[in-house]
Every structure is written in structure tokens, then in C-alpha cells.
């Protein structure tokens, strides 16, 4: 029997024993042995849990136990998850995690520690919850560099934006999402794009090998999205979504998060509610898309268990851990400066606005339906902002 | 430098050197060495190709060369691909392939040969072309059994059905697909569901461990699909697609291919043209979907190269090869007998038809718009056929 430890027995950590039990037969087939939880590191007691007697208070118990080969870090947050993960890796253990904050901040350093000490640091659960999205970068795409990734990686904001399509306000749908447990009482990490930014930092590293400084990654949330924006998106032939995007181009690497209009023909346009999806562009394979539940107790726990199986079966040991080279601020090409298509709405008379915009885009198309609304192809958002400081500008995903 | 051999220098085989060259840097990073093509086994000469001098006529040259660790089989067809693959595996070499006919017929035997001789038999390119769909079964889902797979796995028929949505006939759109090179002059393998059947046999094996006898897998193509069927699908709230499906349930395993109505809210409903997509249902992870180009020279070659990288980097050696236990006819639960939702159109007066159908379904809903058309929930297609032999019955995907 293989023994593991769980750090943090909250929503996700508490789901791990469930997945281990329900998939015990398949796990035994993969690992070649059963898997049992020996320790749970948590400050709380769990008298009603069948695992209550395995709760410990000190990481040292885990570090000192040679029986523990793999540790599931499900604490979240930077500290003490960082110190505990580093200590486990230094002790030659492998760590699997869903902690996007830690991976996006310290992933480079922790991957290097894993390599030096002969362990693995795996984080399938950190982006896209249960969608098996990260492992393909280590295995399936081994022969190709992913040039571009664009996705809906935050279920809370996607739920809100989907609900807003029926004409409701941001505040109204946020309250509903909070009542349903899809949004936190303090919703900033979701609605201000912070969570999505962490995830696109991780995807940027997987695509380019560069772990960007947080200051280099553009992030704009959905607090300012209005009913008029949703209607404008419809007139422009799409739906408004919070999109996280990273591009490796000739000028370098860019990454950012912002509300974008997804054209109806784009495979991301049908992604509604709490679902997540990520579209990848590869040189030979072309465009592929992954879709599924981006969060939730069991899907995320299943992602941790899949990484656990990779460690315990020996498969992870034969895979190359990715390079996450931490770069200082100023390394990335600013996301805002990338040429884009955009929807523009202004209070100016449309003939006047059209004349001004013509100087800032390859083409300007005036939208039907009353207002002074346009679709620009091949424009620079900062330039349009400079020309029309009061205009509402929303990027259109290509 | 690692040396490989390619069997068959046609569309896909000819794309392999292109992918090896264009992704050389990334491949070197993964494999830890460069990869070069030493032999190309083909009966033709290629005087204009830079690889023309590597063409050989006998598999024995490859079998006798200890420098060749991995072989790409891109011949297609059962023979001699079967004999050549078996010989390579017996010689301790690994084989990667896109040959769905061979994998669906002899996959169990060839996987066993690979295991016995310490090699790998990998077939990412056999289903979904460039979509990295098979490797996740060996790596990402290692902790879970996939209970159900449903997909659009044939690009030719999807192109035809997408074009038929604008009211055109099957014959008309087939001719167009042939003119564009999407369909063969002899289109039977595609339009009669034979190609999709091979692919669902492979997916059935990956899901359940059972490689079914071809006689156990239901297959119905799209030759009989009419403009009225397309309109009926729309009235029933969906689009008509050729769906390949496999289910592992309490009664056992079922697999089949047939035209189905995909409801608009289903993630498969937006899959148009030559694209492919496969939706998987896992116990803890829930539903996930893979989407991408299901065929084509470079996407399929890229899938072969990704398998090649897994072999040459040593990663494949640490993964468990799947079990494909070949079962005799009669093992599977007949696909036709599975309870389903269905669209039914009949020449009978609707009141009369509704009365008859009420005995065969959990619920019967009459569709608006003139004809005698119904949506049945929870029915058995053979039973409905027995009651209304002249009715048109189309399954609805749940």
C-alpha cells in the first residue's frame, strides 16, 4: 500500500479521499498498488470524518516519514504552502497541487527544487479544475510549442456574464452567484480578474517557458461591464466573456486578461455558466479546444489524484518537468499594445467618430441599430483611447 | 541523433519529416537528442523528395538495424501493416501509428506483443487526428474509468451534414465534398459509418478495456439522411450529426455509430465542418470535451510525432499500455436496445400516432409545425419500429 499525505483538508483536500475510494480499482491498476492517506495536515479537528485520526499539526511528521513518497498540497494561498512545498521537495518527495497562486508566483523555483531532488512538482488542478489540460503540455505536445492559448478560465465570471446576456446588471447577477455559492462574499479575486491572471501566468509558462512577473500581465475584470456592453457584443456578432490569453509571437511573449467579444463562430462562444474552456494553437496540429468543469470539489480533487497516479506509477519520473524561467518585470511585450479587432461605442455623432477612428484602424465598420457603435479591424486600443478618451472599447477575440 | 523508420510515405507518412524539421528544437528538448529519418519503407520511388535516398523495399532492413528504436507505421489498411507492425514489436522496437483499421482489429494482440517485448504500441493519430485524445487515457485519467464517450469522429460526414443544414441534399453536398477533397471518390468508409465504427471500437477499448468484435458494434451511416430529417432535427431543438458513442453501464458495454440529433445546449452541437470533437464522462471529473481538426496531413503527422517523442524520451516506457481484451461477438450489450430519447416522424394522423407511441415511451411530445412529428423520452428504438414500421426514427443525444 502506498501512503500519501494531504496538506489542507478543506473543499478540495477533503475531496481527495472520496476520489481515492471511488476510483480505488482503477488507481490500483495504474499505480500497481493501493493508495492510502496516512497524514492530513490541518489546524482544525475533524471528529466526524473517518480520516479524523490521521490529522497532524506539524509538517515535520511528513518530512521525517520515508513511507510518504507523494504529498497533495490543497492549502491554497502563498504561505505556508510555499514553505511546506519547498520542504517536501527538498526531502525528495513529490508534490501535486491545485494552488494556482503558488504555482504562478513560485512555480519556477519549485520546479527547479523538484528536479534537483529527483521528485516531481505537478499542478494539473491549478488551471481548468478537472479538465486535463496541463499534462498534455508535458506529454502530448512534446513535439510542438503551443503558440497561443486563449480561454475562459474563471467559472464565477463566466456564470455572471452568461446570466447578464438576458439583460440583467452585473450587481444583480453577482448577488445571485453569491447566493448560489459560485462567488465568494469578497468576490475581488474572481471579478477583478486576479484568479484568471494567475492561470494565464501558468499557461504562459507552459507555452513559452517564461514565467512572467505579475506586473507584466495585463488584468481587467468585469465590474465595469454594462448591459449596453452585452448588447454591443451581440450587435458585433458575439458574446462578451472574460478571456485570458497568451501569445508567443515574433516580438516576444504577451499575456493578459480582459473582457472580450467572442465571435459566434469561435469554439469558445458556446461556453456558458460555470464551465471553462481553453483553446490552443499549435504549428502542425492547428487549433484544439479543451472544455469541462473548471472548478468544484471532485473535479479538482480528481486532477490532484491523476497527478498523484503519475507520481506513484513512475510515469512522472520519466516525463520532463516544464521550464518556468522566472523573468523580471519588463520582459513581456505589453498585452495592451498588441494589434486587435475591437468594438467601440462613443457619444460623438457617428460621422464624426467614424472619421476619427479611420485613422486608427485597418478598417472601420459602423454597426446598425441607432448608437454610434463600430467594429474596428487591426487597431491599437491605446491609440483609440487617445483619440476618443470617453469611448467604450472592447477587444474582439480573433 | 536518434534514428527512426517510416512505413508508408503517403499523405501522413510524408508529413512526418515536415513536423520533425519544423519542431526540431522542441523535439530535441523533449527527447534530449535530435531525431532523423533513416529509412522509408515504400514500393514507390520519390526522386524529388530530399528523403528519396532513404527509401527501402524490405522490412528486414529495419528489423535488422539496432539503431532503429521506433517505427512510424503510416501505411493504413490491415495488410501488410499488421505483419510489419508485429515483426517490429517482436524485434523489440516500438511502433506508433495512425492506422485505425489495424488498431481496431488487432490492437489487443499488438499491445500484448509490445508488452512482452518491452516496447510500446501507441496510436494517438488513430482517433481525432491531431487532437491529443488517446494519451490522456494513459496519463491524465489514470485514476478514473471513463464511463461514456460520445463524439463526432468523422470529418467528411460532418462536413456533409453541416452543409445539408442549409437545405441541400445528401447527393449534392457529397459531390461538393468530393470536389474539395474532403470525401473519397468511393465514399463508403466515411458515409456508411465504417471509419467512425473503427474509431469507436478504439475508444470503447480505452474506456472499458474490452476490444469488441466488429459484429457487436452498431453502425448506420448518413446515406439515408434527408432534408426532412435536417428540418425535423431543428424542430426538435438540435442539429443532426453522425455520432459515435460507447457506454459502460451496469448491464455491460455498448457501442455504436448512427445519425443523432444533438441538442443545442450540448457542447457537441457547435462542431461544424471537418472538425471533430469527443465528449467524455468521468465519475469525479464530470464531462469534458476535446475539439480540433480530426484529420489532415500535418495534424495527423503531429500526433505520430508526439507518440514518437513519448517513446524516444522514455516517457512511454513508464506508462502503462492500455488493456485491449479482444472479445468474441455477442459480448456487448446491443446498442440498439439502449433506452434513448428519439425524434419520430410518421405518415399517420398525429392523434393516432400519439396514442400508439404513448405505449412505447416515458413521455411523448408533439412538435409544432404541421406534420406528424414527435419527441419521445425514454423509448426503445426497436419497439417504436415494431409499432410504427414506416416511421422515421432518429435518436437524440442526451
Amino acid at each position: 500500500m502506498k501512503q500519501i499525505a494531504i496538506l489542507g483538508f478543506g473543499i478540495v483536500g477533503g475531496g481527495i479521499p472520496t476520489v481515492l475510494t471511488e476510483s480505488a480499482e482503477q488507481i490500483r491498476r495504474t499505480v500497481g498498488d493501493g493508495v492510502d492517506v496516512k497524514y492530513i495536515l490541518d489546524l482544525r479537528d475533524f471528529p466526524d470524518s473517518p480520516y479524523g485520526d490521521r490529522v497532524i499539526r506539524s509538517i515535520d511528521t511528513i518530512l521525517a516519514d520515508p513511507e510518504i513518497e507523494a504529498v497533495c498540497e490543497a492549502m491554497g494561498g502563498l504561505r505556508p504552502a510555499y514553505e511546506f512545498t519547498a520542504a517536501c521537495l527538498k526531502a525528495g518527495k513529490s508534490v501535486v497541487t491545485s494552488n494556482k497562486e503558488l504555482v504562478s508566483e513560485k512555480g519556477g523555483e519549485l520546479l527547479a527544487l523538484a528536479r534537483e531532488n529527483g521528485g516531481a512538482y505537478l499542478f494539473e488542478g491549478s488551471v481548468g479544475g478537472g479538465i486535463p489540460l496541463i499534462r498534455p503540455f508535458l506529454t502530448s505536445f512534446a513535439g510542438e510549442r503551443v503558440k497561443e492559448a486563449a480561454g475562459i478560465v474563471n467559472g464565477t465570471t463566466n456564470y455572471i456574464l452568461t446570466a447578464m446576456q438576458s439583460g440583467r446588471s452585473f450587481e444583480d447577477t453577482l448577488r445571485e452567484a453569491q447566493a448560489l455559492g459560485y462567488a465568494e462574499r469578497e468576490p475581488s479575486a474572481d471579478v477583478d480578474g486576479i484568479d484568471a491572471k494567475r492561470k494565464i501566468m501558468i499557461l504562459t509558462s507552459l507555452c513559452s517557458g517564461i514565467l512572467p512577473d505579475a506586473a507584466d500581465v495585463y488584468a481587467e475584470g468585469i465590474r465595469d461591464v454594462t448591459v449596453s456592453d452585452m448588447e454591443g457584443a451581440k450587435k458585433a456578432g458575439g458574446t462578451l466573456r472574460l478571456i485570458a490569453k497568451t501569445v508567443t509571437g515574433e516580438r516576444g511573449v504577451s499575456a493578459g486578461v480582459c473582457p472580450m467579444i467572442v465571435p459566434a463562430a469561435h469554439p469558445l462562444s458556446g461556453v456558458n455558466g460555470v464551465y471553462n474552456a481553453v483553446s490552443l494553437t499549435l504549428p502542425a496540429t492547428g487549433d484544439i479546444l479543451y472544455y469541462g468543469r473548471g472548478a468544484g470539489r471532485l473535479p479538482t480533487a480528481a486532477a490532484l489524484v491523476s497527478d498523484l497516479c503519475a507520481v506513484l506509477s513512475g510515469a512522472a519520473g520519466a516525463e520532463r518537468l516544464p521550464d518556468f524561467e522566472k523573468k523580471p518585470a519588463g520582459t513581456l511585450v505589453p498585452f495592451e499594445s498588441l494589434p486587435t479587432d475591437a468594438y467601440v461605442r462613443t457619444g460623438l455623432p457617428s460621422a464624426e467618430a467614424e472619421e476619427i477612428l479611420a485613422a486608427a484602424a485597418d478598417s472601420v465598420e459602423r454597426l446598425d441599430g441607432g448608437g454610434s457603435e463600430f467594429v474596428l479591424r487591426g487597431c491599437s486600443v491605446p491609440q483609440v483611447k487617445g483619440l476618443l478618451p470617453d469611448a467604450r472599447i472592447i477587444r474582439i477575440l480573433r
Side-chain angles (χ1 to χ4, degrees), chain A:
Chain A
M1 191 66 103
K2 302 262 187 187
Q3 302 292 342
I4 64 152
I6 298 173
L7 313 186
F9 207 52
I11 304 273
V12 172
I16 293 172
T18 310
V19 176
L20 288 176
T21 308
E22 287 181 0
S23 296
E25 187 195 326
Q26 177 70 1
I27 291 169
R28 181 177 284 277
R29 200 175 288 132
T30 304
V31 172
D33 202 346
V35 176
D36 198 18
V37 178
K38 188 167 182 182
Y39 304 117
I40 291 163
L41 182 72
D42 206 296
L43 290 175
R44 295 164 292 181
D45 279 315
F46 300 89
D48 300 334
S49 162
Y51 294 86
D53 59 338
R54 311 185 195 185
V55 174
I56 56 166
R57 307 288 186 217
S58 167
I59 188 76
D60 296 333
T61 314
I62 295 165
L63 297 175
D65 189 336
E67 224 187 359
I68 303 292
E69 186 185 335
V71 176
C72 301
E73 187 265 297
M75 315 182 75
L78 269 188
R79 294 175 195 276
Y82 167 58
E83 287 79 4
F84 289 180
T85 300
C88 289
L89 292 171
K90 279 182 195 156
K93 302 176 192 305
S94 291
V95 178
V96 306
T97 188
S98 58
N99 187 335
K100 55 223 165 208
E101 191 176 353
L102 182 55
V103 177
S104 68
E105 275 291 319
K106 303 284 189 184
E109 185 185 330
L110 295 169
L111 282 161
L113 265 184
R115 255 190 295 266
E116 281 162 30
N117 294 282
Y121 184 52
L122 302 178
F123 40 89
E124 182 63 77
S126 67
V127 184
I131 310 170
L133 173 66
I134 302 217
R135 181 154 297 273
F137 279 89
L138 316 184
T139 57
S140 295
F141 312 145
E144 287 186 275
R145 270 277 185 210
V146 179
K147 285 157 48 179
E148 196 175 311
I152 292 166
V153 295
N154 181 276
T156 305
T157 46
N158 208 56
Y159 178 86
I160 292 172
L161 292 172
T162 305
M164 284 180 72
Q165 279 176 253
S166 56
R168 294 165 61 197
S169 71
F170 169 75
E171 291 74 19
D172 181 27
T173 51
L174 171 60
R175 268 192 302 272
E176 179 187 89
Q178 286 170 322
L180 289 167
Y182 292 154
E184 310 272 340
R185 215 170 304 172
E186 210 314 89
S188 177
D190 292 317
V191 302
D192 295 324
I194 300 167
D195 173 80
K197 176 174 168 170
R198 286 171 184 148
K199 290 168 176 166
I200 202 63
M201 286 170 71
I202 297 171
L203 288 176
T204 301
S205 311
L206 288 163
C207 291
S208 70
I210 290 175
L211 177 56
D213 189 279
D216 271 10
V217 180
Y218 181 78
E220 180 190 328
I222 65 162
R223 277 190 206 269
D224 298 335
V225 173
T226 63
V227 173
S228 303
D229 294 341
M230 303 304 288
E231 285 165 2
K234 206 170 167 187
K235 284 182 207 158
T239 46
L240 198 130
R241 291 289 182 259
L242 185 68
I243 298 292
K245 189 171 174 184
T246 176
V247 184
T248 302
E250 281 175 21
R251 287 170 58 208
V253 177
S254 290
V257 174
C258 62
M260 287 196 194
I261 295 169
V262 182
H266 195 287
L268 286 174
S269 80
V271 179
N272 293 325
V274 295
Y275 276 86
N276 278 198
V278 175
S279 153
L280 305 175
T281 306
L282 293 93
T285 303
D287 289 341
I288 54 177
L289 178 121
Y290 291 83
Y291 169 95
R293 293 192 174 276
R297 179 187 177 87
L298 288 186
T300 310
L304 284 162
V305 170
S306 104
D307 276 347
L308 202 57
C309 286
V311 168
L312 298 175
S313 69
E319 287 164 13
R320 234 184 96 274
L321 289 175
D323 296 313
F324 274 35
E325 198 187 339
K326 180 88 183 183
K327 292 281 194 181
T331 304
L332 261 58
V333 177
F335 183 77
E336 307 90 293
S337 75
L338 294 182
T340 183
D341 299 344
Y343 159 87
V344 175
R345 186 174 70 244
T346 156
L348 286 184
S350 29
E352 193 180 332
E354 190 162 2
E355 208 180 305
I356 296 174
L357 290 168
D362 293 344
S363 77
V364 178
E365 179 201 342
R366 193 171 146 189
L367 292 175
D368 293 338
S372 192
E373 294 170 282
F374 304 88
V375 165
L376 276 57
R377 305 281 165 198
C379 67
S380 144
V381 171
Q383 195 191 350
V384 175
K385 262 188 194 152
L387 293 168
L388 291 175
D390 297 330
R392 174 63 165 157
I393 309 167
I394 306 172
R395 288 174 177 78
I396 300 173
L397 187 66
R398 283 193 207 187

